[in-house]
Structures are given as C-alpha cells and as structure tokens.
C-alpha cells in the first residue's frame, strides 16, 4: 500500500499534464489561421456508449414485421430488414451496424429514398419465440448468420437479397444499389 507521501510525489509529475488543453486549442487555431483564418474547431461532447450504439429509431418502421410489409407494399418500396442478435459473436457486429452503418448519412438517404426499414433484435431468452427468431426461421437463417440485412419483396415476401455480418456504408450502398433503381410493382 502506498503512503500519502508516495502518492503526493507521483501527483507532482502529473500536475498540469491534462488540466488545461489550451495548448492544443492554440495549436489548432494557429493551423486554421495559416490556412486562411477562422475559428478553431469546436469540440464535440463525448457520446456515451449507449448513444454510440443506439438503434436507428429515425429510420425504423414501428410495429411488427407484418406492419412493415404492409407499409412497404402500400408505398411500393422494398422491405429492408436488419435482423440483429444480442448474444454470441453476432452481438458486436450488430452493434457495429448501429454505430457505423445506420448512422451514416449516405446510408440514411438511401434507406429513406427507397425502402421501408424494419430492424428487430433476437432476444437471448428461450422462454418465447420472438419476432426475430420467427423471421430468421422463415428465411432459414441460423444464429451464427446474424446480423443479417435482407431485401424483401413486400407483396410476395420473397427474399431478394441477403447479407450476413458487418458491412461498411460503401458495401451496403453497393449491395442495395439495384433495388434503389426499381420498385416492387415493376418486378415480374
């Protein structure tokens, strides 16, 4: 155990090391000034982990899977389904979808422009079969294939495309590109 004197000796070393970041702010201001002036960039407040990995409620269609299919059919848009898991190896990849994929502005624009988006998470409880488990079973997806992003014809329920695992925004945009150029009603 350290005595108070030993701790105070160590405290002297750290004094001033992180108390004031004005040096860094000043160096940023100098860099901006050299490039034509302007205010130094403002610091963004640190987000909590919960905020970083939160579900994309601004994109999601509320209600059940059936409700999302009905809405997509009425709006003549493809149904984009993200099946996520809260357990096992897929949990972190599901969280990456929330943090990196669904929060990307380009992805949001693509989703809003041509899809009804339904996201559902598989619960780790075996006491009941949740909606994610039902959809996974219907489209023959195993737990180790989650997270998965599916493109469905909302009228027939036909699986048009399926992609498992983490995706970058560029990979997602490439994956759904063909569906953004047509409507379900034009498919034969």
């Amino acid at each position: 155990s350290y005595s108070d004197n030993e701790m105070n000796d160590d405290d002297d070393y750290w004094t001033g090391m992180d108390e004031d970041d004005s040096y860094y702010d000043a160096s940023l201001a100098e860099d901006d000034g050299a490039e034509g002036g302007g205010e130094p960039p403002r610091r963004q407040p640190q987000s909590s982990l919960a905020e970083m990995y939160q579900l994309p409620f601004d994109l999601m269609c509320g209600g059940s899977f059936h409700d999302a299919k009905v809405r997509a059919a009425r709006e003549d848009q493809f149904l984009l389904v993200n099946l996520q898991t809260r357990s096992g190896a897929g949990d972190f990849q599901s969280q990456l979808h929330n943090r990196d994929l669904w929060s990307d502005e380009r992805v949001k624009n693509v989703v809003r422009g041509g899809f009804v988006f339904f996201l559902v998470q598989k619960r780790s409880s075996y006491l009941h079969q949740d909606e994610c488990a039902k959809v996974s079973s219907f489209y023959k997806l195993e737990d180790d294939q989650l997270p998965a992003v599916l493109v469905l014809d909302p009228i027939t329920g036909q699986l048009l495309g399926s992609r498992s695992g983490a995706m970058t925004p560029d990979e997602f945009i490439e994956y759904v590109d063909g569906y953004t150029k047509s409507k379900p009603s034009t498919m034969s």
Side-chain angles (χ1 to χ4, degrees):
S1 141
Y2 288 104
S3 71
D4 288 338
N5 289 341
E6 289 172 334
M7 290 301 289
N8 288 338
D9 289 342
D10 288 341
D11 286 343
D12 290 341
Y13 175 77
W14 296 106
T15 302
M17 291 297 282
D18 59 352
E19 287 178 355
D20 183 14
D21 290 334
S22 61
Y23 168 78
Y24 299 107
D25 291 338
S27 66
L28 287 172
E30 288 172 12
D31 289 345
D32 285 347
E35 294 178 15
E39 292 183 27
R42 296 182 190 265
R43 290 183 186 200
Q44 297 298 319
Q46 283 288 356
S47 297
S48 71
L49 285 176
E51 290 171 339
M52 286 176 58
Y53 295 100
Q54 74 180 356
L55 295 173
F57 295 109
D58 58 327
L59 290 177
M60 293 167 53
C61 173
S64 68
F65 177 72
H66 177 75
D67 295 338
K69 271 182 60 178
V70 168
R71 179 176 163 196
R74 285 187 183 148
E75 294 178 9
D76 198 21
Q77 293 185 323
F78 291 103
L79 181 58
L80 184 68
V81 179
N82 183 209
L83 302 171
Q84 296 187 355
T85 183
R86 304 274 312 184
S87 62
D91 179 38
F92 184 67
Q93 291 181 348
S94 294
Q95 298 301 325
L96 290 179
H97 275 203
N98 299 337
R99 186 192 72 186
D100 300 334
L101 186 60
W102 307 127
S103 66
D104 185 271
E105 284 304 317
R106 295 174 304 146
V107 169
K108 286 182 178 190
N109 290 335
V110 167
V111 170
R112 287 183 183 125
F115 299 93
V116 169
F117 180 65
F118 181 73
L119 184 149
V120 64
Q121 294 180 318
K122 184 169 186 165
R123 299 181 187 142
S124 56
S125 169
Y126 295 103
L127 298 176
H128 65 282
Q129 188 177 23
D130 60 30
E131 192 154 29
C132 184
K134 291 176 187 176
V135 175
S136 295
S137 176
F138 186 80
Y139 290 104
K140 298 176 177 45
L141 294 170
E142 299 295 325
D143 286 350
D144 64 349
Q145 293 175 289
L146 300 182
V149 177
L150 313 177
V151 178
L152 305 175
D153 180 321
I155 299 164
T156 66
Q158 178 184 359
L159 177 64
L160 303 173
S162 176
R163 177 88 187 254
S164 292
M167 254 189 284
T168 66
D170 290 334
E171 290 169 335
F172 170 79
I173 290 169
E174 182 179 327
Y175 165 62
V176 299
D177 184 56
Y179 306 107
T180 61
K181 297 175 180 153
S182 63
K183 297 281 185 188
S185 62
T186 61
M187 297 181 60
S188 305

